[in-house]
Each structure stands twice: as C-alpha cells, then as structure tokens.
Amino acid sequence: MNLENLTQQIKTKPDLEFGTIFSRSIELFKKVWLQGFIILLLTFVVILPFYIILYIPMIALGITDPESLQHDALPPMAAIAMAILAPVFAIGVTTFALALNAAFLKICREKDLGKESSDDYFFFFKEGRLGKVFILALYTFGLSIAGALACGVGMFYVMVPVSLIPAFLAFSNHLSPLEMVKASFTLGNKNWLVIFGLVIVSAFVAQLGFILCCVGVLFTAMLGKVPTYYMYKDGVGFNEVEANSNLL
C-alpha cells in the first residue's frame, strides 16, 4: 500500500476512542510486560556506548588535567567538544530506541493475535533495516529541535506524530522514512487530542512502578508504549497480507 492509499485509509477510519484504547492497552500489557522489561534492559545496554562517547572529553580531561575538573565550570575546549558530540549522542540513542520500540510493537501485534512465536527483539537491526531507522531518527531529531525552537509550544504538537513513528516503522516498513513521517502527521493531526491524552496518561500510569521501591518502574515503563499499537490498529488498520509479511 503506497502513501496515498494509506493516507486515504486513515481519513476514512473512525476517530480514535480514548477509553477503548486505554483499557485494551492495560489488558495487552499483562501479556507483554516481560517482553517490555527485556526491551527496556536492551535499550539501556545499546545506548550505554553513546553515553561513554558523550563523556569522552571529560574522561580525557580528568586523565590529563585532574585539577581542571575541580572548578564549577568545564574548560571551554571540553564544553565545545561535548556540544559537538551531543547531536551524535542524541541521534544514536534515538536510532536504537526507535528500532527496539518498533520491535516491541511487533511483539504486541503477535500477542494480540495470539501467535506463539519467538520474540525477535533485534528485527530492525538485521538485513539492512537499521539504515532506514537511522534516517527516521534524523527526522525525529529534526522535528524535536524544531518543536523546541517554537517556544516549547511546538514540542507539544510534534510529540503526537513523533510518538506514532515507531508504529509506522513496525507495520508500514514498505514506506520510505519520509513517507512514514508524513503518515504519522496525518494520523496525529486527525486524532491529536486523543493521542496526546493517551501519551500523557499512559506515561503517568507507567511511572507508578516507582511505588514499588522504584524498581517496579522497570516492569511498568513500557506500558506507555502499548497504546501506540492500538492507535495504529484502530487509526490505520492492517492489510493482512502486508501485516503477515511484516511479522516474518
């Protein structure tokens, strides 16, 4: 299905319903909480090298001139180096987070269908798929910067379509990265208020794991990602031939 047909399909779908999506998300999360926990741990592992890269200037400075780190402000050269590395850090983290989040949504789809299959957490790391994810990460980073520059108000606007990008990566990966972004805006603009509410409420509920000595949040954090699956399912729908091929 090309972008034009997909856009038309989105426009003809009924508006998303907050209560229906939220309640189904809770039920589905009961089936995928373990996979969500594993995805969260994998996210920490794969983004750790980028944290090391970001702090290389400080590490090098601490080795060559330990006394310079005793001041409140970083030396200018270290600050400049970290500022240069910050975009590399942000894009790298976004790339791997997108890949893992999309894999989690594919797992949600399989559990929703009642399929017994092995969980492929690294689906988007294989067969050249990571290149498309990287381009999507560049778009996501650019949209976030643009939203932040719009006096912060734009950030609230773009957070809705940006939150949908992993779903289009997972289930419409025949589209180009730019087409995925456009489709995310089409669905997001049509149901902006409902999706914004779901993102905020589900994120808040996901953080309730802090009540369990803070450790519980590791098991509940991915609850905030589950509604995205139903946003796509109800707002776009699945072409069964394409859906089945995407699950392979």
Side-chain angles (χ1 to χ4, degrees), residues 135-156:
I135 297 173
L136 271 176
L138 291 176
Y139 282 125
T140 301
F141 180 71
L143 288 170
S144 300
I145 294 297
L149 291 176
C151 300
V153 178
M155 184 63 73
F156 287 101

Side-chain angles (χ1 to χ4, degrees), residues 73-106:
L74 280 176
M77 290 303 296
I80 292 172
M82 291 187 71
I84 293 173
L85 289 173
V88 177
F89 166 81
I91 294 171
V93 168
T94 302
T95 299
F96 288 104
L98 267 176
L100 289 170
N101 285 339
F104 177 65
L105 293 178
K106 284 174 64 64

Side-chain angles (χ1 to χ4, degrees), residues 90-99 102 124 129-144 161-185:
I91 294 171
V93 168
T94 302
T95 299
F96 288 104
L98 267 176
F124 291 97
R129 298 186 184 97
L130 198 58
K132 179 178 286 189
V133 181
F134 174 72
I135 297 173
L136 271 176
L138 291 176
Y139 282 125
T140 301
F141 180 71
L143 288 170
S144 300
V162 165
S163 70
L164 296 170
I165 288 177
F168 284 94
L169 173 62
F171 306 121
S172 296
N173 54 39
H174 58 284
L175 298 177
S176 70
L178 181 57
E179 288 175 334
M180 290 182 192
V181 173
K182 290 180 178 179
S184 297
F185 270 90

Side-chain angles (χ1 to χ4, degrees), residues 46-85:
V46 298
I47 69 175
L48 182 60
F50 293 100
Y51 278 98
I52 297 174
I53 291 173
L54 181 63
Y55 285 97
I56 282 178
M58 288 187 63
I59 296 172
L61 196 62
I63 295 174
T64 58
D65 187 10
E67 294 183 359
S68 63
L69 297 179
Q70 297 177 3
H71 305 292
D72 293 334
L74 280 176
M77 290 303 296
I80 292 172
M82 291 187 71
I84 293 173
L85 289 173

